[in-house]
Amino acid sequence: MAANNYGPKRLVVGAHYGTKDFIVQRITAVIMAVYTLVLIVGVLAMPAFTFEHWQALFTFHVFALPVGQILATLAFLALAYHAWIGVRDIWMDYVQPVGVRLLLQVLTLLWLIGSVVYFAQILWRI
């Protein structure tokens, strides 16, 4: 007799990332969209498009708190996590050999971590 593989008795397999990753990816997208709007407003409000004004867009302080750097770091972390979810799902959907998939996921994760470290090194050295 054939297995009942539909309805409430269906066999559900996989990592069950679905809902959590869907919500996290939407939240990171909102963070990036808001930060993009902040950058656009900041660029439009610049008196002149010079290096000093561009740098000030990322290094402004409010009550001695480096708000520009904190916002940029938050946006970049959101970008990295958003990219990780998307690329990981691509590897999980389209790469069938488990060893190759694991290698690609590890390389992607190392690349994203390296990008975050490089970003932080550049931004927080200003």
Side-chain angles (χ1 to χ4, degrees), residues 102-114:
L102 180 61
L103 175 68
L104 290 171
Q105 287 178 342
V106 168
L107 291 175
T108 301
L109 196 57
L110 289 174
W111 177 74
L112 287 170
I113 290 170

Side-chain angles (χ1 to χ4, degrees), residues 25-46:
Q25 204 160 35
R26 282 2 178 227
I27 290 170
T28 57
V30 168
I31 291 170
M32 292 184 294
V34 168
Y35 187 69
T36 300
L37 292 174
V38 168
L39 284 180
I40 289 171
V41 168
V43 168
L44 293 176
M46 279 184 195

Side-chain angles (χ1 to χ4, degrees), residues 2-122:
N4 185 2
N5 200 19
Y6 57 88
K9 295 185 179 193
R10 71 182 184 273
L11 176 64
V12 179
V13 296
H16 307 290
Y17 293 115
T19 304
K20 179 190 136 223
D21 285 342
F22 178 84
I23 292 169
V24 169
Q25 204 160 35
R26 282 2 178 227
I27 290 170
T28 57
V30 168
I31 291 170
M32 292 184 294
V34 168
Y35 187 69
T36 300
L37 292 174
V38 168
L39 284 180
I40 289 171
V41 168
V43 168
L44 293 176
M46 279 184 195
F49 196 74
T50 63
F51 176 75
E52 290 76 22
H53 289 109
W54 179 252
Q55 187 178 26
L57 191 60
F58 297 98
T59 59
F60 69 92
H61 288 68
V62 175
F63 301 118
L65 189 67
V67 176
Q69 291 167 312
I70 291 171
L71 292 176
T73 301
L74 177 66
F76 197 80
L77 289 173
L79 173 68
Y81 197 50
H82 189 91
W84 165 243
I85 292 171
V87 174
R88 187 206 60 214
D89 286 351
I90 290 170
W91 296 147
M92 287 172 49
D93 288 345
Y94 296 108
V95 179
Q96 297 306 316
V98 176
V100 175
R101 183 185 323 142
L102 180 61
L103 175 68
L104 290 171
Q105 287 178 342
V106 168
L107 291 175
T108 301
L109 196 57
L110 289 174
W111 177 74
L112 287 170
I113 290 170
S115 296
V116 167
V117 169
Y118 186 58
F119 165 83
Q121 183 182 22
I122 290 171

